[in-house]
């Protein structure tokens, strides 16, 4: 199991029956593949519909917010972007799962631009992190060059300040409470000392720290 699959599987355990969920592009889209059998959620896409589902027949006109081909479930609803963002800004999205370039120990995130690189815009991320009831960051623990992505302070332009509920990487699960970053779960592949060495942010260790949870893999 590679790092991205491990992260996606763990994020799936955070979703509750009946949730309206927005999945960001990239790694977060994999979460839909690992939902527990007893959990039914409704996926929302900010380009204008509720009820994303698996592709049952290819339709080049049906794409998600990242421009990827997608399917829809029976009962799906489509609408314009204004209504879609009214849902988001109105607090009707229970969970959004996003990737990030950086997260800091205050729960702030930077995920829309690398300084000096061209970008078409920030998309719906700023609205989602402010409007969603829970914001889960799903990302690999370090950058490809080994640099920490969980920092004391974000150095890239911020998407939002102190809006992250949880950070889930292949090495651990962190939450935020009372201005502190807390390690709740740790991968069995890493020691606490190794995790601290790969994490610039200051964090406290939960009194109930446990091994990182994973759903059972079907044989």
């Amino acid at each position: 199991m590679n790092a991205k699959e491990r992260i996606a599987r763990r994020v799936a355990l955070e979703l509750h029956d009946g949730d309206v969920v927005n999945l960001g592009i990239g790694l977060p889209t994999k979460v839909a593949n690992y939902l527990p059998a007893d959990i039914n959620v409704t996926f929302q896409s900010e380009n204008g519909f509720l009820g994303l589902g698996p592709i049952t027949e290819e339709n080049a006109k049906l794409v998600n917010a990242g421009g990827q081909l997608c399917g829809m479930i029976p009962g799906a609803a489509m609408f314009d972007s204004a209504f879609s963002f009214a849902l988001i800004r109105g607090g009707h999205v229970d969970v959004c799962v996003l990737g990030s370039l950086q997260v800091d120990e205050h729960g702030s995130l930077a995920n829309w631009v690398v300084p000096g690189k061209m970008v078409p815009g920030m998309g719906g991320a700023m609205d989602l992190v402010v409007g969603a009831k829970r914001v889960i960051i799903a990302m690999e623990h370090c950058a490809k060059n080994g640099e920490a992505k969980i920092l004391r302070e974000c150095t890239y332009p911020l998407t939002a300040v102190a809006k992250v509920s949880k950070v889930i990487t292949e090495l651990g699960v962190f939450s935020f409470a009372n201005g502190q970053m807390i390690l709740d779960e740790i991968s069995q592949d890493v020691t606490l000392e190794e995790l601290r060495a790969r994490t610039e942010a200051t964090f406290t260790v939960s009194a109930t720290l446990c091994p990182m949870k994973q759903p059972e893999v079907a044989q």
Side-chain angles (χ1 to χ4, degrees), residues 96-113 122 124-130 134-139 149-167 176:
C96 73
V97 182
L98 299 172
S100 194
L101 299 167
Q102 297 177 338
V103 178
D104 68 27
E105 63 189 52
H106 312 290
S108 301
L109 74 150
N111 78 339
W112 71 277
V113 64
M122 72 288 294
M126 292 183 179
D127 294 276
L128 283 163
V129 295
V130 173
R134 289 192 293 146
V135 178
I136 299 172
I137 299 302
M139 67 179 191
K149 295 172 68 175
I150 304 178
L151 310 174
R152 290 187 178 89
E153 298 278 352
C154 292
T155 59
Y156 291 170
L158 292 179
T159 304
V161 175
K163 289 294 182 180
V164 177
S165 307
K166 285 197 174 184
V167 177
F176 298 85

Side-chain angles (χ1 to χ4, degrees), residues 9-209:
R9 286 181 178 277
R10 178 59 188 84
V11 173
L13 296 179
E14 293 293 316
L15 305 184
H16 304 142
D17 201 46
D19 278 347
V20 174
V21 180
N22 183 290
L23 300 177
I25 62 174
L27 193 163
T29 61
K30 298 178 182 294
V31 173
N33 299 329
Y34 304 115
L35 286 176
D38 60 341
I39 297 296
N40 290 298
V41 304
T42 299
F43 290 111
Q44 186 262 354
S45 183
E46 62 261 37
N47 62 324
F49 69 104
L50 281 166
L52 281 78
I55 298 175
T56 53
E57 58 182 80
E58 195 163 302
N59 182 344
K61 296 181 180 179
L62 189 61
V63 295
N64 62 22
Q68 301 164 314
L69 291 176
C70 62
M72 58 183 179
I73 61 173
M78 297 186 179
F79 31 78
D80 62 18
S81 291
F83 188 84
S84 184
F85 277 87
L87 287 176
I88 294 167
R89 295 169 183 171
H92 303 291
V93 174
D94 296 297
V95 185
C96 73
V97 182
L98 299 172
S100 194
L101 299 167
Q102 297 177 338
V103 178
D104 68 27
E105 63 189 52
H106 312 290
S108 301
L109 74 150
N111 78 339
W112 71 277
V113 64
V114 175
K117 292 192 176 181
M118 292 294 293
V119 63
M122 72 288 294
M126 292 183 179
D127 294 276
L128 283 163
V129 295
V130 173
K133 295 171 186 173
R134 289 192 293 146
V135 178
I136 299 172
I137 299 302
M139 67 179 191
E140 292 185 80
H141 202 87
C142 295
K144 291 181 180 178
N145 62 5
E147 290 184 356
K149 295 172 68 175
I150 304 178
L151 310 174
R152 290 187 178 89
E153 298 278 352
C154 292
T155 59
Y156 291 170
L158 292 179
T159 304
V161 175
K163 289 294 182 180
V164 177
S165 307
K166 285 197 174 184
V167 177
I168 298 177
T169 77
E170 75 278 18
L171 300 183
V173 177
F174 299 85
S175 60
F176 298 85
N178 301 318
Q180 290 188 317
M181 186 174 185
I182 303 162
L183 176 65
D184 298 311
E185 301 175 24
I186 186 169
S187 169
Q188 295 177 320
D189 297 332
V190 69
T191 66
L192 182 57
E193 290 71 24
E194 290 170 336
L195 184 63
R196 288 193 188 279
R198 300 184 197 183
T199 309
E200 181 191 290
T202 299
F203 61 86
T204 60
V205 178
S206 171
T208 57
L209 179 67

